[in-house]
Amino acid sequence: MSNIKAEINLAHSPGYTTLAFSRDGAFCYTGGDDCIVRLWKTNEGEDQEPPTAIEAGESIMTLATSDKAWFSGSKDSDVRQYKAGDPDMEAVVTSSAAACIRCIAIDPPGKRIAVSSDEPTIKVIDIEDTVNMLILHGHNDVVRKVTWEPSGSFLTSCSADGKIIVWDLTQQEPKQIKLIDGVIPALKDKDSRDFAHDCSAVWHPSGQYFVVGSRTHEIVVISRDSWTKTSTFSSDSLTGVVYALALSPNGVYLASSTHKDVQVWSTQTRRLLFTFPNATTDFVTQLAFSPTKNLLAWADFTGSLYRWSDPIPSSSPSPVDPVATSLVTRPKRRGATPTLFDDDATARKPNEPVKEDTGLGGAEDFENEDWILDDVGDGMEDDLGAPGEDGNALVKEMVSVTKAQPAFQPGSTPMENRKRYLAYNMIGVIEVTDQDTHYIINVEFHDRSARKAYHFTDYFRYDLAALGPRGAVYACQPENEHSAHVVYKPYGNWATQGEWTYELSNTVRVLGIAAGGPAPSKSMRTLSDGDMQGNGNVVVATSDNELTFLSGTGIERCSVALDGDFVSMVAGPEWVFVVQRDGTTTMDGSQNLMGTLYDFEDMCVLQNRKLPIRKGHTLRWIGISEEGAPAVYDSAGVMYLMPRFRIPLRGTWVRILDTERLERKQGKDESYWPVGLSEDTFMCLILKGRQEYPTFPRPLIQELPVRLPFRGKDPKDSPLEEQQVFARESMHLQITRDALGDEEIPDEVLARELALDKELVQLIQTACKRDKLPRALELTRMLHHTSSFDMAMKVAAFYRLVGLREKMQALKDDRVVGDRPQRRDWVRDYDPVRPPRLPPADVQRGEPRAFQDFGPPAVVHRPGLARATLTLPPPPREDLYTRGDDHAPAATLPGESKRKRADEDIVAYGDAAQPDSIKRRAVEDDEYTMPGPPKPRANPFAKKPSDTADGPRNPFAPNKSLHKSESFFDKVEAAETSKWKGLSRSRLCPADGWY
């Protein structure tokens, strides 16, 4: 709709603001944080001065009207009654002991008023006799809103703990009919802005259902027949928190508010009709249709009152004129095609009136592209009777079709407040700031030691980007004379060497981009002229329904045709995961998405599986786990992983996480924006309230545990935590083993298998303890190592289970550790695809690289400048010397030495045959003597031996002789010896005469 204009009045101070129309539509009452209620006349414009009611001592929280009076409830715990159209108070209906009044509601006859407060009880008071009061008990928290069913028989109440209770008040004693849990959000902080959102259960005038804004940001229809969700009001163009709801007096239209817009829906088709964009500067706190006019009013958190005159065009059915109940509650259904087995008794009579929706006029009343008109004719419809019998003979059926999910880039957000995220993953973040004439793009990485952050000015207004392991890719759309193009910026390369641009045709748009490649083995902060492992891979999805594969240097490799509409994609080290629509969406709400895994090496399809997105939900995120497996996340908060992706066309989606069942989720109104996934951790950004995507400043990445959604509830049967660890570790071990192929299993994997066997042995012990022998035997088959079988047998022996121990022994004998991988391959139909072998990250170069190698130069060998060294002759050979009679070495001629060597060889060979060889060799030994080994060179630093009589004396020794005189016994012996020889005594005695 164009030229939409609303009357705006600054009614109250900023804060929570409420409003209500008088039942005759003459007044619109508003109340706010300034403790004042203003009475606005609906037939006057913006320049009026409304009367005010000033009796409240604190903020006005709720307003309600009847035929004769209007009521207000405030934080001062009082409910006040006023005469219709009069600002003077008449009476205080009730009070709550120091509890804020949250909501008041008048029943349709105008005889009873329902009051909710910060207490968990509800008061139902007779307006004529306030002493006559009912107290409803059933809630455990603050009751935020209460609403009446149009007949006044039922009352619905919504509490802060996320529960809706339907009460039957037709009897003298109130009765709780149904408790509906999990539809509306649960909130704890009463002072938060989220607590100001309108969570009322808004009843349709027919009384057959009510609508309410759900915690999943949907407008849900709850049927009175089953008190369950039957349908939703949905449009892919609208997402976000549902702030307030209001139904038109005749129930033909529903008004809602999301973001800063106001929407009008058709209750018959559940489709969006009109939108008032940017209708407010803050979120809407309350919406209301005028009961007598084509007028829609709302109040926002700034304290302003907005009045939108003629929100429904004159060409469409009026929102006020009454219509039959059946005309607005049940959509017209297509009549079945007649068959041979139809019974005439079951056919409708020709004159029987058609109880279908014929009061909405022709299809031209609703100018919305989401309608499909059935113009086949009477062949697909029942006989409608004669013209004029049902008031409109030209009835055209409108068929609901699920809106296809548009293409999106993982990790990107829309522009808000001139800023957005182009990419947000486990590598880093790409932030964009709109400067009117250009963009400022800032790229930052989580690991700053591996990659260097940068920023640049963007004049092309890139709206798509992806961060890969080896580079970042950007894309812009065609505009004016400029065609779309893709720019790739590798990390760690000089800009002029690594960066390249890929131009597209003028009419081709870029739908998605992805950058992949192996993880770098070294830091990429240092600029270089190239990498042995390449710059990765780039994939571009275009509006020509094709995928273009390019190398990291810009070489166009291949263009692959897509089977359906492109939705999203993400690239890994070895492959690119592409999500496309398999045909069209289905009538039951399924997006019909297909995931395909293309290998980078030869562009073949590795996996092709339908995504497990439930009906009525959409795909929110696709990514890659740290182990390299593809993962998807849907709008229901469920994460799926494909662990066996390396086995061609045999992968399956495994449900590994349900965020709605997380412990921290209980009692909190929050959602999770995925960033990455590892073996046991879910990395995400936590969004508070009904926030859909992260804003600025950039929030911190939170780590949540991966909890497999097991349903076992008996901890004695098998501890749930042990089951979690075993199942999760087994799945990731299988991913690791698939990547090994025929290679030898590394010690790290063996250690993990041993740790997993310990968990299995604990589960075996639990099974034996509870006498569940088949389970124990089944767990034994899952063991990896023979030593683990011994531990399992010890457990069986401890519990005296002889038969189980024998079966475990048989399993052990059958298990051969060396043949286990081979046997496992025999069972498979397909071998897993191993990751490609990569060249070394770098090579040693002899030549220095300019401005990069700053170490000392290499050593150059120059023989002419080498230092001279002493060359010693080789040791003498044994046949070059002979020893003569004087034992002096004598040199022989070369010819003689050769002849002697030959003679020696002959003698040595004939020793065994000739007996006189020993005698001849003895003669030769006297003639020829083998010289000893060469004398080793003396060590100048070794300790020298003591001097001998012939050797030199120590020059540092003292000159005085240390030789002692002869001893007494030596002299006696010498004397006796000389005596026996006949020598004279005089010769034996010394001269000094000592004897």
Side-chain angles (χ1 to χ4, degrees):
M1 297 180 66
S2 60
N3 299 326
I4 298 176
K5 184 177 180 181
E7 297 178 347
I8 305 175
N9 291 98
L10 186 58
H12 304 277
S13 60
Y16 181 77
T17 308
T18 182
L19 67 84
F21 278 101
S22 62
R23 294 199 174 183
D24 58 3
F27 291 92
C28 179
Y29 305 96
T30 62
D33 270 359
D34 53 7
C35 312
I36 296 175
V37 178
R38 299 186 186 275
L39 288 67
W40 305 86
K41 295 181 179 181
T42 56
N43 58 357
E44 296 184 8
E46 300 177 349
D47 55 351
Q48 61 177 301
E49 289 293 336
T52 59
I54 59 174
E55 287 77 14
E58 294 188 47
S59 302
I60 304 296
M61 301 302 297
T62 179
L63 295 170
T65 62
S66 65
D67 295 334
K68 299 179 181 180
W70 63 274
F71 303 83
S72 70
S74 58
K75 282 188 176 181
D76 58 6
S77 307
D78 290 339
V79 176
R80 298 174 176 85
Q81 180 179 352
Y82 299 81
K83 186 178 180 181
D86 194 339
D88 296 332
M89 186 181 70
E90 289 184 344
V92 174
V93 178
T94 185
S95 297
S96 296
C100 171
I101 302 297
R102 290 293 173 181
C103 185
I104 55 177
I106 309 297
D107 66 350
K111 296 181 179 180
R112 293 177 294 178
I113 180 173
V115 181
S116 68
S117 64
D118 283 349
E119 297 175 347
T121 57
I122 304 170
K123 297 179 181 179
V124 181
I125 305 171
D126 191 333
I127 296 177
E128 298 295 335
D129 183 10
T130 57
V131 179
N132 186 8
M133 181 187 306
L134 293 176
I135 306 296
L136 307 182
H137 299 275
H139 288 288
N140 298 320
D141 209 336
V142 176
V143 181
R144 298 173 60 190
K145 297 292 179 181
V146 289
T147 51
W148 289 91
E149 185 261 344
S151 66
S153 301
F154 300 105
L155 179 73
T156 51
S157 57
C158 305
S159 62
D161 57 3
K163 297 179 181 179
I164 302 175
I165 297 181
V166 183
W167 308 87
D168 183 2
L169 301 181
T170 58
Q171 306 297 327
Q172 186 175 2
E173 292 293 333
K175 181 181 178 181
Q176 180 177 322
I177 298 179
K178 183 66 176 180
L179 188 149
I180 305 171
D181 193 7
V183 176
I184 62 174
L187 300 174
K188 296 297 182 182
D189 187 4
K190 294 183 290 185
D191 297 327
S192 66
R193 288 167 60 92
D194 293 343
F195 210 85
H197 300 166
D198 190 356
C199 65
S200 301
V202 182
W203 281 91
H204 190 272
S206 65
Q208 296 181 2
Y209 65 88
F210 64 83
V211 294
V212 65
S214 71
R215 60 188 177 89
T216 57
H217 307 170
E218 297 175 325
I219 303 176
V220 178
V221 178
I222 304 295
S223 173
R224 176 177 169 178
D225 296 335
S226 60
W227 303 114
T228 58
K229 172 184 172 181
T230 57
S231 61
T232 60
F233 290 78
S234 62
S235 174
D236 290 334
S237 60
L238 296 177
T239 57
V241 180
V242 180
Y243 295 128
L245 297 172
L247 279 163
S248 63
N250 59 5
V252 177
Y253 302 100
L254 171 69
S256 66
S257 176
T258 59
H259 297 293
K260 298 179 182 179
D261 304 336
V262 174
Q263 303 88 23
V264 178
W265 307 73
S266 168
T267 57
Q268 196 270 341
T269 61
R270 313 287 194 259
R271 291 298 176 184
L272 179 65
L273 301 180
F274 319 114
T275 301
F276 189 162
N278 298 321
T280 178
T281 58
D282 208 334
F283 73 89
V284 173
T285 56
Q286 200 160 1
L287 272 167
F289 274 98
S290 171
T292 58
K293 299 179 181 179
N294 186 7
L295 174 65
L296 179 62
W298 62 87
D300 66 2
F301 205 74
T302 64
S304 300
L305 170 66
Y306 297 80
R307 288 177 289 169
W308 181 10
S309 299
D310 300 326
I312 309 301
S314 58
S315 60
S316 301
S318 170
V320 179
D321 296 340
V323 293
T325 301
S326 61
L327 300 184
V328 294
T329 57
R330 300 183 185 275
K332 185 178 186 302
R333 296 182 180 177
R334 183 192 302 272
T337 303
T339 65
L340 295 175
F341 303 99
D342 288 340
D343 188 0
D344 294 339
T346 61
R348 183 176 52 83
K349 297 179 180 180
N351 296 328
E352 183 179 352
V354 181
K355 297 181 181 179
E356 298 292 351
D357 187 359
T358 61
L360 294 180
E364 63 274 3
D365 295 339
F366 302 101
E367 301 175 358
N368 191 299
E369 63 182 1
D370 290 339
W371 309 82
I372 293 181
L373 306 182
D374 182 15
D375 55 356
V376 177
D378 294 340
M380 299 297 291
E381 296 183 356
D382 292 335
D383 185 12
L384 296 179
E389 289 183 358
D390 55 354
N392 190 347
L394 301 176
V395 178
K396 294 183 180 180
E397 182 182 3
M398 288 167 285
V399 183
S400 174
V401 178
T402 304
K403 186 70 175 291
Q405 180 178 357
F408 70 95
Q409 191 74 13
S412 64
T413 64
M415 185 75 73
E416 184 175 0
N417 296 327
R418 308 173 72 88
K419 293 180 74 69
R420 66 174 295 196
Y421 296 105
L422 281 182
Y424 204 136
N425 58 19
M426 292 305 297
I427 296 176
V429 182
I430 301 179
E431 301 175 352
V432 174
T433 303
D434 187 0
Q435 300 290 339
D436 292 334
T437 60
H438 60 275
Y439 286 168
I440 300 297
I441 296 183
N442 182 39
V443 182
E444 294 189 11
F445 301 99
H446 303 310
D447 186 2
R448 298 184 179 180
S449 63
R451 302 174 181 90
K452 186 176 181 180
Y454 64 92
H455 66 275
F456 63 94
T457 302
D458 168 29
Y459 293 98
F460 295 100
R461 294 180 175 269
Y462 295 124
D463 60 347
L464 296 175
L467 280 175
R470 294 183 172 268
V473 59
Y474 307 87
C476 66
Q477 306 302 334
E479 184 178 1
N480 299 329
E481 68 277 5
H482 298 287
S483 61
H485 70 264
V486 176
V487 175
Y488 185 61
K489 297 177 178 290
Y491 314 132
N493 281 23
W494 296 105
T496 57
Q497 296 176 349
E499 181 178 330
W500 51 265
T501 302
Y502 178 69
E503 298 283 347
L504 285 86
S505 303
N506 292 333
T507 59
V508 178
R509 295 179 57 85
V510 180
L511 302 182
I513 52 178
S521 57
K522 62 178 182 178
S523 175
M524 308 191 76
R525 290 180 61 91
T526 304
L527 301 180
S528 63
D529 56 357
D531 195 332
M532 288 290 295
Q533 297 180 353
N535 290 337
N537 299 276
V538 175
V539 185
V540 182
T542 66
S543 56
D544 286 345
N545 206 34
E546 66 177 3
L547 290 177
T548 301
F549 289 80
L550 301 103
S551 67
T553 57
I555 301 175
E556 192 169 2
R557 301 179 58 194
C558 182
S559 291
V560 178
L562 291 175
D563 299 331
D565 296 336
F566 173 81
V567 177
S568 187
M569 69 176 172
V570 64
E574 314 158 35
W575 43 258
V576 58
F577 179 53
V578 182
V579 177
Q580 54 190 331
R581 185 169 290 103
D582 187 14
T584 60
T585 59
T586 61
M587 297 291 294
D588 57 358
S590 174
Q591 290 292 328
N592 201 16
L593 301 180
M594 181 73 69
T596 307
L597 217 60
Y598 294 94
D599 185 67
F600 278 140
E601 194 71 21
D602 50 8
M603 314 304 171
C604 65
V605 175
L606 184 59
Q607 300 291 339
N608 192 30
R609 285 285 178 180
K610 186 175 181 179
L611 297 191
I613 307 299
R614 291 183 289 179
K615 297 177 181 179
H617 293 278
T618 57
L619 178 66
R620 290 293 179 86
W621 176 83
I622 61 174
I624 310 165
S625 68
E626 288 188 357
E627 293 77 19
V632 298
Y633 183 81
D634 62 9
S635 58
V638 181
M639 179 74 74
Y640 298 90
L641 185 72
M642 183 183 288
R644 307 303 302 276
F645 68 95
R646 292 191 181 278
I647 302 180
L649 303 177
R650 291 300 183 95
T652 55
W653 291 108
V654 178
R655 192 178 182 184
I656 63 169
L657 176 65
D658 187 354
T659 57
E660 296 296 329
R661 299 173 61 179
L662 291 176
E663 295 181 358
R664 63 162 293 132
K665 177 73 172 178
Q666 307 304 320
K668 295 182 180 179
D669 186 13
E670 62 183 23
S671 57
Y672 310 99
W673 203 73
V675 176
L677 182 69
S678 67
E679 180 176 337
D680 54 359
T681 306
F682 172 47
M683 277 72 71
C684 64
L685 304 179
I686 298 179
L687 308 179
K688 297 296 183 180
R690 300 183 183 182
Q691 189 180 0
E692 287 193 334
Y693 44 82
T695 57
F696 292 85
R698 188 196 318 161
L700 297 176
I701 296 178
Q702 304 293 327
E703 295 184 355
L704 301 181
V706 172
R707 302 283 299 177
L708 300 180
F710 290 162
R711 296 182 175 89
K713 297 183 178 180
D714 187 5
K716 297 181 180 179
D717 188 19
S718 182
L720 186 59
E721 186 63 30
E722 294 183 5
Q723 293 185 26
Q724 287 275 344
V725 174
F726 165 69
R728 188 171 60 243
E729 184 69 14
S730 298
M731 180 172 57
H732 291 284
L733 262 177
Q734 195 63 58
I735 296 176
T736 305
R737 277 188 168 273
D738 287 346
L740 293 176
D742 296 332
E743 295 181 1
E744 184 179 356
I745 302 177
D747 294 339
E748 180 182 359
V749 176
L750 294 176
R752 294 181 63 179
E753 287 184 345
L754 286 175
L756 185 59
D757 284 354
K758 291 181 181 178
E759 300 291 340
L760 285 171
V761 171
Q762 293 180 3
L763 294 176
I764 292 172
Q765 181 181 4
T766 303
C768 293
K769 185 177 181 180
R770 297 181 61 83
D771 201 21
K772 293 191 175 184
L773 306 187
R775 174 175 292 186
L777 195 61
E778 182 180 11
L779 293 171
T780 305
R781 293 191 187 98
M782 301 178 185
L783 295 173
H784 299 83
H785 300 278
T786 54
S787 59
S788 304
F789 281 86
D790 296 335
M791 296 301 298
M793 288 187 290
K794 289 182 180 179
V795 172
F798 177 80
Y799 287 99
R800 301 181 185 276
L801 301 174
V802 180
L804 178 62
R805 187 182 183 283
E806 293 177 353
K807 293 179 180 179
M808 290 180 176
Q809 181 64 44
L811 291 177
K812 177 186 176 182
D813 296 340
D814 186 63
R815 176 71 56 85
V816 179
V817 178
D819 296 339
R820 183 171 176 270
Q822 183 179 1
R823 292 183 180 183
R824 185 184 59 205
D825 290 340
W826 289 342
V827 178
R828 295 176 180 164
D829 294 334
Y830 298 93
D831 290 334
V833 177
R834 294 177 53 195
R837 291 186 176 275
L838 299 175
D842 201 355
V843 294
Q844 299 294 332
R845 298 179 56 181
E847 299 179 0
R849 290 172 286 185
F851 305 106
Q852 298 185 45
D853 296 337
F854 298 101
V859 178
V860 179
H861 180 64
R862 295 182 175 88
L865 300 179
R867 179 178 299 177
T869 57
L870 180 61
T871 303
L872 298 177
R877 293 176 53 183
E878 62 185 44
D879 58 349
L880 297 180
Y881 296 92
T882 58
R883 185 169 60 182
D885 297 337
D886 55 352
H887 303 282
T892 60
L893 296 177
E896 296 176 357
S897 64
K898 291 182 180 180
R899 286 193 298 271
K900 291 181 179 180
R901 184 65 177 174
D903 295 340
E904 292 175 3
D905 294 339
I906 294 173
V907 171
Y909 180 77
D911 284 345
Q914 300 177 9
D916 58 344
S917 61
I918 300 176
K919 184 184 300 182
R920 189 181 305 169
R921 185 167 56 249
V923 174
E924 291 179 356
D925 288 343
D926 293 338
E927 185 177 359
Y928 304 102
T929 304
M930 293 290 294
K935 184 178 181 181
R937 187 180 299 176
N939 184 3
F941 301 100
K943 184 178 180 181
K944 295 182 178 180
S946 59
D947 296 333
T948 59
D950 299 333
R953 296 182 57 86
N954 185 2
F956 302 99
N959 295 328
K960 183 178 180 180
S961 176
L962 299 179
H963 181 71
K964 296 182 179 180
S965 60
E966 295 179 349
S967 64
F968 171 77
F969 299 98
D970 293 336
K971 294 179 179 180
V972 171
E973 183 178 359
E976 291 180 352
T977 303
S978 61
K979 180 179 179 181
W980 289 105
K981 290 182 179 181
L983 298 178
S984 61
R985 182 175 179 87
S986 57
R987 295 182 59 186
L988 294 175
C989 297
D992 52 1
W994 60 272
Y995 187 79

